[in-house]
Amino acid sequence: VDEPDAHQVVTSRSCQFAVGQIEVTESTDGFSALGAVLKSRGDWAGAEQALQKAISLNPQLTAAHYTLGQGRQSAGDAAGAKKAFDGAERLRLRNQLEHEALIWTTVGIQRAEAGDLKAALEHFRRATKAFEPYAPAHYQMGLVLGRLGLRDEPGPHLRALNS
């Protein structure tokens, strides 16, 4: 593929760019995708700018942190690469734990809908043990505790949603 001239536009998912100009048309995912495209073309400065913008708009964008690390590594910035890779790994682990909490919460909701409130409560406890800040598990746990007549217990779980 020939290099684009100043008038050629490259499209990637939700982003478009022309030489020297960045325009994201839909979301922060566009900045992340743009950063990956620019990195693959060897435009480290442009990639860094797009990825930093994606991260500033959504610090939870694991792929942007990882791609930033790749670009910094390729540019010889070992310390910057390590920082970006560490951020990506931290987010990957967080996402994994949050996903586990989602599964426990989903099963807990199913158990509650089937009328097995004690089993539901155990699933919500497992969800909050896997990922303590998972608000849906706290909310559902508070509802189930209320349905079980444990009026003193729902408060902390429902209040956790506001913290």
Side-chain angles (χ1 to χ4, degrees):
V1 175
D2 293 334
E3 290 293 318
D5 62 29
H7 302 289
Q8 203 170 10
V9 175
V10 178
T11 302
S12 174
R13 291 175 63 185
S14 63
C15 61
Q16 296 177 330
F17 71 94
V19 175
Q21 177 183 6
I22 296 174
E23 178 188 357
V24 173
T25 58
E26 292 179 25
S27 69
T28 58
D29 287 340
F31 281 113
S32 185
L34 175 59
V37 169
L38 292 172
K39 180 190 78 68
S40 72
R41 297 168 115 336
D43 181 357
W44 309 121
E48 172 116 7
Q49 180 183 9
L51 293 166
Q52 289 289 7
K53 180 66 174 179
I55 291 168
S56 74
L57 293 172
N58 181 359
Q60 305 304 313
L61 220 55
T62 307
H65 286 273
Y66 186 79
T67 305
L68 183 61
Q70 289 177 314
R72 287 179 173 173
Q73 187 175 47
S74 295
D77 179 5
K82 181 179 179 345
K83 182 179 177 184
F85 285 141
D86 287 350
E89 180 62 10
R90 180 183 45 77
L91 290 170
R92 185 193 66 77
L93 290 172
R94 182 187 191 282
N95 292 341
Q96 181 180 353
L97 294 172
E98 188 170 3
H99 183 74
E100 182 179 345
L102 167 68
I103 291 169
W104 284 118
T105 302
T106 301
V107 174
I109 291 169
Q110 291 169 346
R111 298 309 318 142
E113 289 173 350
D116 190 353
L117 299 181
K118 290 185 181 189
L121 186 58
E122 179 57 29
H123 284 88
F124 300 138
R125 285 186 175 138
R126 287 182 180 188
T128 59
K129 185 176 180 181
F131 188 65
E132 197 282 326
Y134 193 63
H138 286 281
Y139 176 76
Q140 294 296 330
M141 187 183 309
L143 294 178
V144 167
L145 287 168
R147 287 176 61 189
L148 287 169
L150 303 171
R151 298 278 179 220
D152 292 338
E153 290 193 48
H157 298 288
L158 295 176
R159 278 194 301 275
L161 297 174
N162 295 324
S163 58

